[in-house]
Amino acid sequence: DAPWINVLGNPQFGTIVTESGMSYSWVDNAHGIRLTPWNNDPVSDLKGEAFYLRDEENGRFWSPSPLPCRGSTPYITKHGFGYSVFDHIEDGIASTMTIYVDCAAPIKFIVLKITNNSNRLRRISATGYVEWVLGDLRSKYQMHTITEMDMRSGSILAKNAYSPEFERRSAFFDVNDDNRTFTTDRAEFIGRNGTLANPEAMNRTKLSGKIGAALDPCAALQVSFELAEEEEKEIIFRLG
């Protein structure tokens, strides 16, 4: 069946969130000014935005929502007016992912609250990934998209002067933690013949830092941290 969805946004920015946690985001116009990909399929889910948690001790990873990388235990999905929430517990690590859009500004927030409910110190990483479109069709604009790092804020910026709608605009993706690694190369992140269910980057210790032109453009950010017993950590990804 087609996924249940929640539509969030304001006049400047919109996003669709499915019950499996996959998203699609746009600016001003859902058809012509897409930030991330839309696939008009009545059965399969969206595929342009993804988030992961990983146990840094054994390398095992899963998503805080049912897709793209389902964990071994059940999930709870809650859609509300202006927000969607995904609750999950995996191997003693409890996570709550809340997605919402600013009431006025063109910014989407993905807030991850991660709690260590096991009886020992844990080392965890959180990874956020988005594919850039910057127009109506990704195939039309991807070869013209250039990524760079904003040194003041630490945000990954994406620009595309070939797209009329983005000639004077920049898209961004960032996270509220300075202890990060990143890449803007989709081929590196997913890997050859790979999928978002098992991306190659999640089997590596960190992201390469590749950025610039002539890439298959994306933005991926990964932060690592330690959690003492019963300690909670909040990671906030922002897309806009």
Side-chain angles (χ1 to χ4, degrees):
D1 294 334
W4 290 93
I5 64 172
N6 197 12
V7 183
L8 316 175
N10 61 51
Q12 298 182 73
F13 188 98
T15 189
I16 286 175
V17 184
T18 76
E19 92 283 1
S20 296
M22 304 301 282
S23 294
Y24 150 60
S25 302
W26 67 88
V27 181
D28 294 341
N29 185 305
H31 173 73
I33 319 179
R34 294 168 175 158
L35 289 184
T36 57
W38 164 257
N39 54 293
N40 191 23
D41 191 314
V43 177
S44 66
D45 217 309
L46 303 171
K47 297 181 175 68
E49 304 177 24
F51 297 88
Y52 305 88
L53 297 175
R54 183 172 66 187
D55 187 332
E56 293 299 299
E57 295 177 357
N58 56 31
R60 184 169 174 266
F61 61 90
W62 64 93
S63 292
S65 57
L67 290 179
C69 182
R70 188 183 297 268
S72 60
T73 55
Y75 290 80
I76 298 175
T77 299
K78 293 174 281 189
H79 287 324
F81 289 106
Y83 66 91
S84 290
V85 180
F86 303 88
D87 292 321
H88 182 62
I89 300 176
E90 188 80 17
D91 192 23
I93 299 298
S95 63
T96 297
M97 183 171 73
T98 304
I99 300 175
Y100 62 94
V101 173
D102 189 278
C103 292
I107 305 173
K108 172 182 177 178
F109 296 88
I110 303 93
V111 181
L112 275 168
K113 291 185 178 180
I114 304 150
T115 306
N116 179 9
N117 289 335
S118 56
N119 58 1
R120 59 187 177 86
L121 179 72
R122 302 291 293 272
R123 291 191 299 113
I124 303 295
S125 67
T127 303
Y129 167 86
V130 299
E131 294 180 13
W132 296 122
V133 177
L134 307 190
D136 55 352
L137 296 174
R138 176 175 165 82
S139 59
K140 186 192 303 185
Y141 294 111
Q142 68 181 77
M143 71 178 69
H144 304 284
T145 297
I146 298 173
T147 54
E148 63 184 62
M149 179 68 71
D150 181 72
M151 301 309 297
R152 183 180 64 177
S153 66
S155 300
I156 293 176
L157 304 180
K159 301 180 179 181
N160 192 331
Y162 181 75
S163 171
E165 299 293 347
F166 278 88
E167 186 176 1
R168 293 179 177 85
R169 291 177 172 175
S170 295
F172 72 88
F173 187 55
D174 73 355
V175 67
N176 68 331
D177 194 311
D178 294 332
N179 181 29
R180 71 185 80 179
T181 62
F182 67 90
T183 185
T184 63
D185 185 0
R186 178 178 176 271
E188 172 200 331
F189 188 88
I190 295 180
R192 184 173 182 178
N193 300 323
T195 67
L196 288 180
N198 185 26
E200 179 64 29
M202 295 307 298
N203 295 303
R204 299 173 180 163
T205 56
K206 62 181 181 179
L207 304 178
S208 70
K210 187 180 294 186
I211 202 163
L215 300 173
D216 188 356
C218 76
L221 292 165
Q222 186 174 86
V223 297
S224 300
F225 49 90
E226 291 187 346
L227 287 176
E229 184 179 356
E230 304 301 325
E231 184 179 2
E232 180 181 276
K233 175 81 170 179
E234 183 176 79
I235 302 292
I236 302 174
F237 293 95
R238 294 174 289 247
L239 171 66

